Structure formats: structure tokens, C-alpha cells
Amino acid sequence: MADKVIAGITVNVNAEGYFEDPSQWNKEMAIEMAREYDIELTDKHFEILKYLREKYLAGEQLTIRKVGNSGITDIKGLYQLFPGGPLKISSRLAGIPKPASCI
Amino acid sequence: MATKEEYPLKKVCIICAKGTIEDVYAALIMANGAVMEGIEAKLFFTFFGLDAITIKQMNKLHTGTVGNPALRMPGGLPFPTLLGMLPGVEAGVSFMMKSQMEKLDVPPVKEFLEMIVAGGGEIYACKMAADMFKIEKEDLTEEVIDIITVGQFYEMAGGQGTQIIFI
């Protein structure tokens, strides 16, 4: 566990940069973290981040299949929004832990 | 002192030569897991693995109930091979396997292939096995790019950080 200043606020993140406490997250932090991946966050991105946060806080296991069936985007769209790690990067930007799923 | 340098994995070339549920899914999960991590994935189906991409067979994959010492009854008792020989038992066990996987959000084969392709993965069939089983391109699911030779497969397997995995 480490402290990191994101968008002017100190938050707790783990060694890989995932939030320890999802309640510390806000949208500005997502925008700042997204720059590390050269992603400019759009409304579509935020819809996904919101969906991930809701599902995570409801205790559901997240998979790309689930996000693909969410009605927000399909799986191809998800890869285009978060290139190189559709579930991993989106989870980090959503301020939730790294997904512990193989699918 | 020896220094240890690690190179990140950039590409996996996965060969699936078997047609049981567990072998096909091992290949699909590894390929999908790769594209999800931003690793390039190429899947090559050969011999009985062709069932996984053959339209007529892909939804009817089974798990062998004979000669599988790791197969157990619900509750953990060993599954007697003699029981596995009875008609319908293999289908029943296979159905149970599929329903258990569905609970974990593991999709059916066709949808799984679509997911891999959506992530940039590529699916190929082996020419020799296709010739042997008299399988043409139109017998295969649309996610398959082409029927290729082993030489063409190796041509795709170049580059630092590439691994070939045989299932």
C-alpha cells in the first residue's frame, strides 16, 4: 500500500496502481490516470467506469463478457476504448481493484 | 553474480490438437486471456481440435468419461470407468461441465471465439488435419481466417517475446 497524489488528492493505491479504497475515487482522477495510457476519456468511457463501479460495489465478479453484454458497448468496442487491457485498464481507471477473473 | 533480465510476453501461438471440452477451453481461455492483457494471440486448431471450429461439432464437445482418473462424482468419489461407458453418461457429464462453466461466465465455444477475434486474436485451421478429415473452409465457423500449413504457422510465430503453447 502506498500513497499517491492523483488530481491533487492523496489516495491509497497498491503496487500496481489500483485503488485500495474505491470511495476515494473521482472523475478527475480517472482523467489523469487515463493520460498514462494515452486515453482521452469520453462519455462512453465514463459509462463503462460507472458500470464497473456499480457491479464491483454490488459484489459481482467482472468479466469482459459481462461488460460486453451490458448494453453500453460490445466487446470489440471495449477493446477500442481501453486498448491493451479492456478490463484491467478500465478497472484501474474506475478506482476498483484489479479484476481477479480469467475471462 | 548473474543478472536476470525479463522480457515481457508479446505473442502467444497456441496449438489445440484435442477436441474435448477441457482441452478446447484451455486453449480458448489462454488465447482470450492473452488478448485481454494486450498480448497478441494466434490459435491453431489441428487433428481433433478441429471439432472446436467445425460448425457441425463445435457445440457438441464432450469430456471423456473413460480413462480419466481425475474425473470424480459430485462429492469427490472417483468416477468408475465402467460407469463412464454407459450410454448417455458422457453426455450428462459434459452437460454438467458446460453448466458449471456457464456459472463462471465462460461462454459457449462460438461466442468465445468471437470474443477472442474481437480482441484482435486470430484463428486458423491446420491444412493437413482438414485434408485428413475432409473438411473445407465452408465447414468451419466464420471466425477462422484460413486453413494453413504448419510452415505458415511458424512464419507467424517469429519475434522476441513469442511463445508456442501446445495443448
Side-chain angles (χ1 to χ4, degrees):
Chain A
M1 193 156 136
D3 290 341
K4 195 179 176 192
V5 180
I6 306 173
I9 299 168
T10 307
V11 294
N12 305 119
V13 295
N14 71 6
E16 289 181 284
Y18 289 84
F19 275 54
E20 301 267 340
D21 177 4
S23 69
Q24 292 181 322
W25 177 91
N26 67 31
K27 282 189 169 187
E28 285 67 43
M29 295 174 184
I31 293 168
E32 187 172 310
M33 287 191 288
R35 290 197 192 112
E36 291 172 38
Y37 304 101
D38 287 323
I39 299 172
E40 195 75 40
L41 294 186
T42 61
D43 290 347
K44 203 79 181 159
H45 288 98
F46 278 111
E47 269 183 68
I48 302 223
L49 301 189
K50 184 167 170 270
Y51 174 84
L52 293 175
R53 286 179 64 81
E54 279 169 7
K55 292 289 164 193
Y56 170 74
L57 294 171
E60 281 186 43
Q61 173 107 321
L62 292 163
T63 62
I64 53 164
R65 188 190 189 200
K66 204 173 264 181
V67 185
N69 290 331
S70 65
I72 303 170
T73 182
D74 58 9
I75 292 177
K76 199 168 184 178
L78 188 64
Y79 274 95
Q80 283 160 357
L81 290 168
F82 301 99
L87 196 58
K88 229 170 50 165
I89 295 172
S90 56
S91 294
R92 186 169 167 237
L93 299 185
I96 60 172
K98 190 174 178 177
S101 158
C102 289
I103 38 163
Chain B
M1 214 176 89
T3 51
K4 191 178 157 202
E5 251 188 281
E6 285 200 18
Y7 297 98
L9 191 52
K10 289 207 182 120
K11 178 160 66 178
V12 285
C13 299
I14 300 166
I15 303 162
C16 179
K18 302 180 197 83
T20 66
I21 293 177
E22 63 274 24
D23 291 304
V24 167
Y25 270 89
L28 294 172
I29 289 169
M30 291 193 76
N32 183 62
V35 289
M36 278 177 71
E37 295 290 320
I39 298 166
E40 202 181 326
K42 297 188 194 294
L43 253 175
F44 184 72
F45 289 93
T46 184
F47 286 104
F48 297 105
L50 281 180
D51 270 9
I53 49 170
T54 306
I55 296 165
K56 273 190 191 158
Q57 305 298 339
M58 60 195 303
N59 291 318
K60 298 186 208 152
L61 302 183
H62 275 187
T63 271
T65 49
V66 171
N68 182 355
L71 189 68
R72 277 178 260 283
M73 309 272 243
L77 284 173
F79 196 96
T81 286
L82 278 171
L83 182 60
M85 290 166 67
L86 299 175
V89 171
E90 191 179 276
V93 167
S94 303
F95 177 78
M96 271 185 68
M97 286 268 288
K98 286 179 194 167
S99 55
Q100 290 294 326
M101 288 197 293
E102 182 66 43
K103 277 185 199 158
L104 296 172
D105 215 19
V106 178
V109 174
K110 164 90 175 155
E111 190 188 336
F112 219 156
L113 291 169
E114 286 168 9
M115 280 168 64
I116 294 166
V117 170
E122 295 174 3
I123 320 281
Y124 297 95
C126 164
K127 182 166 188 314
M128 205 209 82
D131 288 349
M132 195 176 117
F133 292 130
K134 311 269 185 290
I135 285 172
E136 309 280 343
K137 179 83 170 64
E138 57 266 26
D139 300 320
L140 301 173
T141 182
E142 58 193 336
E143 288 76 25
V144 178
I145 293 180
D146 206 358
I147 300 177
I148 61 170
T149 64
V150 64
Q152 287 171 294
F153 175 74
Y154 279 134
E155 281 170 19
M156 297 176 190
Q160 194 183 44
T162 301
Q163 294 287 337
I164 295 181
I165 299 163
F166 189 92
I167 295 170

